Amino acid sequence: MPFSALALLDWLELNEGDWIIQNAANGAVGRLVAQLAPTRSINVIGLVRRDAAVDELASQGIKRIVSTESEGWQDRVAEITGGAKIVAGVDSVGGEASNDVLSQLSENSTLVVFGAMGGSSLTINSGAIIFKNLTVKGFWGSSVMSGLSAERRGELFSELLMQVTDGALSFPTEASYSFDQVQDAAKANFVAGRKGKVMLSP
């Protein structure tokens, strides 16, 4: 997941100072993108579906999080960006949540479909795509990585290791289970509102 998050940022060919927006900001990839983007001077706004997730991410040092549970959340996005253009959006949810990301994009921007946690279908406003001249792309990590030269993959791995070494990345853990508790671990993995990864250890 860390390499997929970094490869996504690299694949988007963003410039320093650019703004992007993503949903599922409290998911593993969302947290990683939020932590990696600033190391490239990229600004990220994260959308979450629960107000409580804003404080949860803040406790990990991740800011610029907006809850779509709150009325007027679009105004909060505009306040954070100061009216700057949002050049790319990352949708990891699908369904109606896709439109939340799409609605915040500026003209000639790109919506990247990264996942489909909320279902296999997208619900997107065709008018927004037409009048804003938006591009919709899919991102599949394995395909993108296989298209990179060995030299470029090495550069990205080196960049990622540097960020881990420098402490730019943190990986919250919800709970750790021994191998003989694998059934308990599997159940815990699907508990709603989980704040980190469920780990297995010897």
Side-chain angles (χ1 to χ4, degrees), residues 111-140:
L111 175 69
V112 179
V113 181
F114 188 91
M117 295 166 54
S120 59
S121 298
L122 298 178
T123 302
I124 53 179
N125 186 316
S126 58
I129 295 174
I130 294 168
F131 298 119
K132 289 185 178 180
N133 192 33
L134 302 180
T135 300
V136 180
K137 293 183 177 181
F139 179 90
W140 183 241

Side-chain angles (χ1 to χ4, degrees), residues 98-109:
S98 304
N99 259 336
D100 289 341
V101 176
L102 187 77
S103 69
Q104 300 307 299
L105 298 181
S106 302
E107 289 185 6
N108 304 311
S109 298

Side-chain angles (χ1 to χ4, degrees), residues 20-31:
I20 67 173
I21 189 167
Q22 62 172 347
N23 57 21
N26 55 336
V29 172
R31 292 172 191 255

Side-chain angles (χ1 to χ4, degrees), residues 13 16 66 78 94 114 127 140 164 168 193-194 196 200:
E13 298 182 342
E16 289 188 7
V66 176
F114 188 91
W140 183 241
V164 172
R194 183 164 49 82
L200 282 174

